[in-house]
């Protein structure tokens, strides 16, 4: 039975029920059943509208030893004669190696507040309290403020406008800009979009690729059975891939592969590969779109990394049904006929089955627009582009870029990065426009 049917915003009566439920030590599920709302809605309401009460610490420091230690020059300023724990210009807790916090963190877990804590009355530490009256007032105030339009001062708005405009003109997505400069932004990302919609900033919607770049989806068509039954696809279909994922491979082991064309002419092609576990994308410039060129890339990686490392990095590859991938035995096997990887094919006309790499091709088109030939570019150019793409911060990665998700203990991946000359680009230097290749 589904108890969670109620929609719409909470009112004061709902919040009183939540406050009563917390004080009675009821679970979020029980409170949710009472209000016909999902437990996650109850948890979000509490965390969003709880009231913070600052603790009463000696000298406003929550260090356990603040009364005992008398230290000087912890911050490195040898001319300062002030006792570090009494200094107001520098927080000694950031520098002191003997700092031990006595703060309570029980509110980091459900119920996220101290309402039902037995030690609440005598506690002098930081705490959170959920009050229905204060929560309802806070929500009403936020709702009112959100409808007042632009509430920034002219100076702050000008500073934000200058920062965003400068970086957008480099081709950086707004999500990347906000992830890097969130502490400098006086508003949230959604408000930035609203300001652009309202014409409050220098840049317009036409400057944002994703605002104007989408085309209406076609209805598509069903592929013929003859194409689906091609010999190189036998035992390597997407259904076979899903079965292998259940019994043999994990999601973090999957590498998606595809090619990118410049214009419809004989000439260079781009081989792309992406690791699902961290979204790091590899770019290889090939002289043509033939199967032999793809095989040469595989052979290059195997020779540069060694067979064991290659097998660990590329255990399973998911690609489309392009003719450049049809010589599957030559890709899967080495010259000595040893297996180095397993290749599977998406269903015909189902590019969404490898959506990770399809989505990342968008970044390539920022710097190399469609209908532009790849013949003028070199592998050095594509390596530069690869590093800029992999340095873009993304909300789906926790506001981190793919390179930042590579752990220092992943020696195999670090070896791959060294082989392909991959390195992190500073956030504000990320450039995804066609003139990237003229700035080398």
């Amino acid at each position: 039975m589904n108890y969670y049917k109620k929609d719409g915003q909470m009112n004061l009566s709902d919040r009183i029920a939540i406050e009563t439920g917390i004080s009675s030590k009821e679970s979020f599920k029980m409170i949710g059943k009472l209000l016909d709302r999902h437990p996650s809605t109850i948890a979000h309401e509490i965390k969003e509208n709880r009231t913070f009460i600052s603790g009463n610490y000696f000298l406003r420091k929550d260090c356990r030893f603040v009364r005992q230690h008398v230290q000087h020059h912890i911050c490195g300023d040898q001319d300062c004669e002030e006792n570090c724990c009494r200094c107001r210009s520098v927080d000694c807790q950031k520098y002191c190696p003997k700092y031990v916090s006595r703060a309570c963190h029980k509110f980091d877990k459900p119920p996220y507040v101290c309402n039902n804590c037995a030690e609440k009355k005598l506690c002098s530490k930081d705490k959170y309290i959920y009050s229905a009256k204060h929560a309802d007032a806070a929500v009403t105030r936020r709702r009112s403020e959100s409808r007042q339009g632009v509430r920034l001062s002219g100076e702050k708005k000008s500073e934000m406008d200058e920062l965003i405009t400068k970086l957008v003109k480099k081709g950086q997505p707004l999500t990347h800009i906000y992830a890097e400069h969130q502490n400098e932004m006086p508003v949230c990302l959604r408000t930035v979009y609203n300001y652009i919609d309202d014409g409050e900033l220098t840049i317009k919607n036409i400057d944002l690729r994703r605002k104007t770049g989408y085309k209406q989806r076609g209805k598509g068509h069903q592929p013929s059975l003859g194409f689906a039954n091609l010999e190189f696809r036998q035992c390597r279909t997407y259904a076979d891939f899903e079965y292998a994922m259940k019994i043999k491979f994990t999601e973090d082991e999957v590498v998606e592969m595809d090619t990118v064309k410049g214009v419809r002419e004989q000439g260079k092609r781009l081989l792309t590969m992406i690791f699902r576990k961290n979204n790091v994308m590899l770019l290889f410039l090939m002289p043509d779109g033939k199967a032999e060129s793809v095989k040469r890339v595989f052979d290059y990686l195997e020779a540069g990394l060694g067979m064991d490392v290659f097998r660990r990095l590329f255990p399973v590859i998911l690609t489309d049904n392009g003719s450049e991938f049809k010589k599957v035995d030559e890709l899967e096997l080495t010259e000595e006929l040893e297996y180095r990887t397993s290749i599977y094919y998406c269903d015909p006309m189902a590019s969404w089955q490898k959506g990770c790499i399809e989505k990342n091709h968008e970044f390539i088109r920022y710097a190399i627009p469609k209908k532009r030939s790849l013949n003028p570019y070199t592998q050095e150019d594509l390596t530069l582009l690869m590093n800029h793409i992999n340095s873009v911060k993304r909300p789906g990665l926790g506001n981190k870029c793919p390179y930042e998700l590579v752990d220092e203990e992943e020696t195999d991946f670090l070896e791959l990065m060294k082989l392909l000359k991959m390195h992190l680009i500073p956030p504000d230097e990320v450039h995804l426009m066609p003139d990237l290749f003229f700035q080398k």
Side-chain angles (χ1 to χ4, degrees), residues 367-385:
I368 307 177
K370 289 184 178 181
K371 299 183 180 181
R372 177 173 294 186
S373 174
L374 294 174
N375 290 339
Y377 299 98
T378 64
Q379 181 59 49
E380 182 182 2
D381 294 329
L382 273 301
T383 299
L384 176 65
L385 176 59

Side-chain angles (χ1 to χ4, degrees), residues 100-112:
V100 178
S101 175
R102 56 183 289 264
C104 177
H105 295 282
K106 291 182 180 179
F107 47 72
D108 292 337
K109 299 184 292 185
Y112 306 115

Side-chain angles (χ1 to χ4, degrees), residues 362-408:
E362 173 186 355
F363 293 111
I364 298 175
R365 292 308 185 186
Y366 291 171
I368 307 177
K370 289 184 178 181
K371 299 183 180 181
R372 177 173 294 186
S373 174
L374 294 174
N375 290 339
Y377 299 98
T378 64
Q379 181 59 49
E380 182 182 2
D381 294 329
L382 273 301
T383 299
L384 176 65
L385 176 59
M386 174 175 63
N387 285 328
H388 279 262
I389 291 175
N390 289 325
S391 298
V392 173
K393 297 178 183 289
R394 305 163 198 182
L397 303 180
N399 285 336
K400 293 184 178 181
C401 70
Y403 279 160
E404 291 175 329
L405 298 182
V406 179
D407 195 278
E408 295 181 355

